[in-house]
Amino acid sequence: MKNIWILLTKYNDVFLFILFFGIAVWLVINNNDFQRASTLNSSNALIGKIYAESSRLTDYMKLDEANQELLAENAALRISLDKVLRRDTSTLQTVLDSLGNPRYAYISARVTNNSLRQKNNYITIDKGSADGIRKGMGVISPSGIVGIVLNVSPHFATIQSLLHSDSRISAALQESQAFGSLIWGDNYDSKKAILRDIPNHVEVRRGEAVVTSGYSLFPPGIQIGEVIATTEVGGESFKDISITLSTDFYNLQYVYVVVDNFVAEQQELEANTQPND
């Protein structure tokens, strides 16, 4: 209390000036229509700006929640699309699935860790076995493929990124449907990969889309990238195709884990099928 009294005594001139100035301003505004209207307009503009900035901050704070809702909605849309349209890989036509039973489901997840500059790169997501994720599932992003689930704990999973020296993905040229094996390559560029084992007689054009073939862990037709160059290997019947990847691994935040509802049935059938002698 003593300190407050000393402060008031020391700066009494300043406090008196502020007090009288405030009274004067109030009298002017209260007794003049023009000044009152101007002050109200200014205060309304200031309050409106404060509300706008507050709303913008609130919206920003809710971005993560909004993203989660959009991911869930996109996953549901993917399931609905696969339920209605089933790709017939022999004719490349979409047909109605009369059983109404989609082969693929999708689990959305957030990326919590992501390596990019190693020879073998890995990604960690915030979903695990408690959410239905299992080892060997394919992982995609809204713009392309990401990798394959490698290890799983109850609440997390690690993914062997497409940017890994051991990654092998079955991929196809969209126009000719010629398929081969997609590998990362030797230059460790996060934007480029190589499609191998494409027959030399297959015509390939620059800019042609490269998609998943449907012969691996991924649904057919998922975007992988575009052709940028073709190299014929001397003395070989196949050529290598350089592609630019559609997935931006540097800005990867959310992914979808692909759940193949028929994979166990297919693997059991293939395991029991013996080649003819």
Side-chain angles (χ1 to χ4, degrees):
M1 188 66 182
K2 182 180 178 180
N3 291 333
I4 295 176
W5 179 253
I6 293 174
L7 181 65
L8 291 174
T9 303
K10 186 176 181 180
Y11 296 102
N12 62 333
D13 294 340
V14 175
F15 290 121
L16 287 173
F17 172 77
I18 294 174
L19 175 63
F20 290 131
F21 181 79
I23 293 173
V25 170
W26 179 80
L27 289 172
V28 170
I29 294 173
N30 194 53
N31 293 285
N32 293 274
D33 293 337
F34 176 76
Q35 282 80 359
R36 182 165 59 251
S38 298
T39 302
L40 287 174
N41 288 336
S42 299
S43 62
N44 287 338
L46 178 61
I47 292 171
K49 186 175 182 180
I50 292 173
Y51 282 152
E53 292 300 324
S54 176
S55 177
R56 184 179 302 176
L57 178 61
T58 302
D59 291 342
Y60 178 79
M61 298 298 291
K62 292 182 178 179
L63 278 178
D64 185 65
E65 180 181 350
N67 283 334
Q68 294 292 348
E69 292 177 355
L70 286 173
L71 284 171
E73 182 179 359
N74 287 339
L77 288 172
R78 284 180 178 273
I79 294 172
S80 298
L81 181 62
D82 189 65
K83 185 175 181 179
V84 175
L85 300 176
R86 178 68 58 82
R87 180 181 294 273
D88 183 345
T89 54
S90 63
T91 61
L92 298 180
Q93 294 178 348
T94 55
V95 297
L96 181 65
D97 183 359
S98 58
L99 297 177
N101 186 20
R103 173 165 183 171
Y104 299 101
Y106 303 89
I107 302 172
S108 60
R110 182 188 182 97
V111 174
T112 60
N113 193 21
N114 184 12
S115 64
L116 293 165
R117 299 179 179 86
Q118 308 300 319
K119 179 180 180 181
N120 299 312
N121 294 290
Y122 299 91
I123 299 168
T124 305
I125 57 175
D126 65 350
K127 297 288 179 67
S129 58
D131 305 287
I133 294 177
R134 301 290 181 267
K135 181 177 180 178
M137 289 181 171
V139 184
I140 64 176
S141 73
S143 58
I145 63 173
V146 172
I148 299 170
V149 175
L150 186 63
N151 292 306
V152 182
S153 69
H155 302 104
F156 294 92
T158 55
I159 300 165
Q160 179 178 297
S161 172
L162 179 61
L163 311 181
H164 191 289
S165 62
D166 292 334
S167 290
R168 298 289 186 276
I169 305 295
S170 180
L173 296 166
Q174 190 173 55
E175 295 181 9
S176 66
Q177 287 299 302
F179 66 91
S181 181
L182 183 79
I183 65 172
W184 183 22
D186 300 324
N187 56 2
Y188 307 125
D189 186 339
S190 67
K191 282 291 188 180
K192 296 179 181 179
I194 298 173
L195 180 58
R196 288 184 169 171
D197 303 326
I198 299 297
N200 282 333
H201 70 271
V202 174
E203 294 185 6
V204 183
R205 66 174 182 81
R206 184 181 177 89
E208 182 176 355
V210 177
V211 298
T212 53
S213 65
Y215 298 147
S216 58
L217 306 171
F218 302 90
I222 300 294
Q223 181 77 15
I224 295 177
E226 293 183 351
V227 174
I228 55 176
T230 301
T231 303
E232 294 189 7
V233 181
E236 300 289 339
S237 301
F238 302 94
K239 54 188 170 186
D240 292 345
I241 300 174
S242 297
I243 72 168
T244 179
L245 296 172
S246 57
T247 298
D248 185 355
F249 285 89
Y250 272 93
N251 294 312
L252 192 63
Q253 299 183 45
Y254 297 95
V255 296
Y256 298 102
V257 181
V258 181
V259 182
D260 187 343
N261 294 316
F262 300 158
V263 65
E265 177 184 346
Q266 179 178 337
Q267 290 176 348
E268 181 180 0
L269 177 64
E270 292 174 348
N272 293 329
T273 300
Q274 300 296 328
N276 294 326
D277 293 331

